[in-house]
Structures are given as C-alpha cells and as structure tokens.
C-alpha cells in the first residue's frame, strides 16, 4: 500500500502543486492523501477477508492440499488483523502525504 500511495503521490505531484497554489492548506492536502490511503485499505481488507474465507472453505475440497492446510476464519482472528492493517495503512499514508506537502507549488508544477 505504501508503494501504491507513494507512486500515486508522485504521479499527482502537479495536481498537488495546483492545490497548494490555489490555497489549499497543508492539512487539507494531507487529509486528501490519507483518505485515499484509507479507501485503498478498506478495499484491500475487504478483498483479503473475502479471499481468505474462500480459501478456508476451498482448501479442504482439494485432495492433496486439504490434508496439509486447514483453518477456520473467525472474528477472533479477523478483527486483530484488520486492526493492524488499518494502523499500518494510516502510517503508510502519512509518509506520502508528508512528502507531498513539503513540495513547493512551483516545483510540483514543473514535475511531470
């Protein structure tokens, strides 16, 4: 997720420069990037939980794998993992947000 946000921030450097030039505060720019990170986190967590549930019920049906791997998803396993993922997403979104607000508007507009 960190790589995705860093690349998205670099690709949108010109947009961020425009936002800064028209008067967006650093807090507002950081907030928009962190919100984007949280949306990516929510989608990733949702897809990850769905795939893990499908894998938990699909693996036992495969003859060679079913004997080796078995697990049952439960709220006691899923909730702490989602909580840790959200915390890492917040921390991971703050780095590109911090880098974006440190750019000067003129420097950001020159980047392509």
């Amino acid at each position: 997720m960190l790589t995705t946000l860093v690349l998205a921030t670099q690709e949108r450097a010109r947009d961020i420069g425009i936002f800064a030039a028209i008067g967006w505060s650093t807090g507002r720019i950081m907030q928009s990037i962190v919100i984007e990170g949280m949306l990516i986190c929510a989608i990733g967590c949702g897809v990850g939980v769905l795939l893990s549930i499908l894998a938990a019920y699909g693996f036992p049906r495969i003859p060679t794998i079913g004997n080796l791997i078995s697990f049952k998803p439960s709220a006691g396993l899923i909730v702490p993992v989602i909580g840790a993922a959200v915390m890492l997403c917040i921390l991971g979104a703050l780095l590109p947000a911090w880098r974006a607000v440190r750019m000067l508007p003129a420097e950001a507009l020159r980047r392509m």
Side-chain angles (χ1 to χ4, degrees):
M1 191 211 77
L2 179 63
T3 304
T4 302
L5 283 173
V6 168
L7 290 175
T9 303
Q10 287 177 351
E11 289 174 3
R12 291 188 352 207
R14 187 177 175 119
D15 299 338
I16 293 167
I18 291 171
F19 293 148
I22 63 172
W24 274 31
S25 67
T26 57
R28 189 171 181 186
I29 294 171
M30 285 186 71
Q31 182 181 20
S32 71
I33 295 170
V34 171
I35 288 172
E36 179 183 352
M38 293 309 299
L39 287 173
I40 292 170
C41 175
I43 292 168
C45 287
V47 170
V49 167
L50 179 66
L51 289 176
S52 68
I53 290 171
L54 290 173
Y57 292 113
F59 280 158
R61 292 188 168 84
I62 301 171
T64 56
I65 297 176
N67 297 332
L68 300 174
I69 299 173
S70 69
F71 57 95
K72 294 186 181 180
S74 67
L77 293 173
I78 293 172
V79 170
V81 172
I82 298 260
V86 168
M87 293 306 295
L88 288 173
C89 285
I90 290 171
L91 291 174
L94 287 174
L95 173 68
W98 179 71
R99 289 180 68 195
V101 298
R102 286 186 42 219
M103 283 190 289
L104 296 172
E107 176 189 333
L109 289 171
R110 278 191 291 249
R111 287 188 177 187
M112 265 324 258

